[in-house]
Amino acid sequence: MFGFGSKPPYKMGLALSGGGARGFAHAGAIKAFDEMGIRPDIVAGVSAGSVVAVMYAAGLKPDEMLNLFLDAKFSDFCELGVPKDGFFKLDRFKAFLRRIIPYKNLEDLPIPTIIGATDFDHGKPVMFDSGPIAERVAASCCIPIVFKPVRIGGVRYVDGGVLRNLPAWTIRDRCKYLIGVNCSPLSNDTVKNTILDIAIRSYELMAKNNAVSDMELCDIVIRTDEIAKYKVFDLKGIRRVFDSGYRDTMNFLLENGFRHPGETTK
């Protein structure tokens, strides 16, 4: 934490929410930011937002992020395990991250990156700014019941969206300006009466409500409400989600006459 009156070390921060496959709206948003010359100096992500955050910080372009997942299936990233503490294991997902990210630890990334997760054992939100990327991102993406908790240092961690789905709190005091992108709207679909569907719906309800306080911490928040019709694990719709994130972000910036805040604010 920085003392009263101290100057934040970064000018522009970007906080990316959770949202499952809807998180590809973040990649679309970043494409719009790039075209407008907006370059965050520090990024933070939760769940799907953490995936996009580390890929962006590692130097991947938005279209490259999209192409990595275009032909992917849910089974490419996880496998069914003994359903004691979760239905699926994220070992394949961690291996995928190690393969595509040319850095091992968070502190090695060219752009400072913070990952939000939930300490399941102690019931509190946590932030990771160092240590192996794959394990931290997997922990941040670990929706309870759907996935088995990720153990780091003997502690069980689950999805950051359980307590703080928009990680504005992790970097608010580190940057002068903070943009939040919330890609976790609540769908109106009828929820099937299965354990997995009920678990996902419960997660969505928690994420929707606990993001409110973090949106208030941001200088601006870009929402992608139209992607509510896409399911959390629907990888087939990611191109449309990506396009929606790009369109909503560009429209927001243009409608608000947005220029980089450093150009307009003393």
Side-chain angles (χ1 to χ4, degrees):
M1 300 295 289
F2 303 96
F4 179 75
S6 61
K7 184 178 180 180
Y10 305 105
K11 178 178 286 187
M12 173 69 73
L14 179 63
L16 306 177
S17 77
R22 301 168 182 170
F24 284 94
H26 290 318
I30 288 174
K31 183 174 182 177
F33 291 144
D34 282 348
E35 292 180 6
M36 293 292 283
I38 299 171
R39 305 283 190 273
D41 304 299
I42 184 171
V43 294
V46 157
S47 199
S50 73
V51 180
V52 174
V54 297
M55 289 194 294
Y56 176 72
L60 276 72
K61 299 299 183 184
D63 288 305
E64 292 176 320
M65 300 179 198
L66 177 65
N67 289 332
L68 283 169
F69 290 86
L70 271 180
D71 298 319
K73 304 182 295 296
F74 180 75
S75 59
D76 292 335
F77 305 113
C78 59
E79 57 185 315
L80 189 64
V82 178
K84 183 178 68 171
D85 52 357
F87 282 92
F88 298 96
K89 298 185 294 184
L90 286 169
D91 292 348
R92 291 178 184 172
F93 179 56
K94 287 187 280 188
F96 167 77
L97 290 172
R98 294 187 189 105
R99 187 170 67 252
I100 67 167
I101 304 292
Y103 301 92
K104 179 180 179 181
N105 297 315
L106 285 171
E107 63 268 32
D108 300 329
L109 291 168
I111 299 175
T113 305
I114 310 296
I115 303 301
T118 299
D119 180 336
F120 184 75
D121 291 330
H122 302 98
K124 62 182 181 180
V126 296
M127 65 177 86
F128 295 116
D129 59 6
S130 62
I133 293 170
E135 283 72 19
R136 272 96 182 128
V137 172
S140 184
C141 294
C142 190
I143 298 176
I145 300 177
V146 179
F147 300 114
K148 296 178 180 294
V150 174
R151 287 185 179 271
I152 299 175
V155 176
R156 291 176 296 175
Y157 293 94
V158 295
D159 198 299
V162 171
L163 294 179
R164 304 291 289 265
N165 194 48
L166 182 65
W169 68 279
T170 67
I171 58 173
R172 174 65 276 186
D173 65 339
R174 306 187 192 206
C175 54
K176 186 174 182 180
Y177 306 102
L178 179 57
I179 298 175
V181 183
N182 186 1
C183 70
S184 191
L186 191 64
S187 70
N188 294 318
D189 292 344
T190 300
V191 180
K192 296 179 181 178
N193 196 29
T194 69
I195 292 175
L196 288 178
D197 282 294
I198 290 173
I200 292 170
R201 181 63 168 185
S202 298
Y203 168 80
E204 288 181 326
L205 290 169
M206 289 186 293
K208 177 181 182 294
N209 287 288
N210 70 39
V212 174
S213 61
D214 280 288
M215 286 193 287
E216 293 173 352
L217 293 177
C218 299
D219 294 294
I220 63 171
V221 177
I222 296 169
R223 301 167 60 107
T224 54
D225 292 338
E226 68 181 85
I227 63 174
K229 60 187 175 183
Y230 298 103
K231 296 185 182 298
V232 171
F233 295 125
D234 180 14
L235 291 174
K236 295 179 180 179
I238 60 173
R239 179 176 288 281
R240 292 187 293 275
V241 169
F242 177 95
D243 291 341
S244 179
Y246 172 82
R247 184 171 56 252
D248 288 348
T249 301
M250 188 61 78
N251 287 342
F252 178 93
L253 297 175
L254 294 175
E255 289 171 4
N256 288 276
F258 189 87
R259 290 186 294 169
H260 193 291
E263 299 176 3
T264 59
T265 304
K266 293 183 180 180

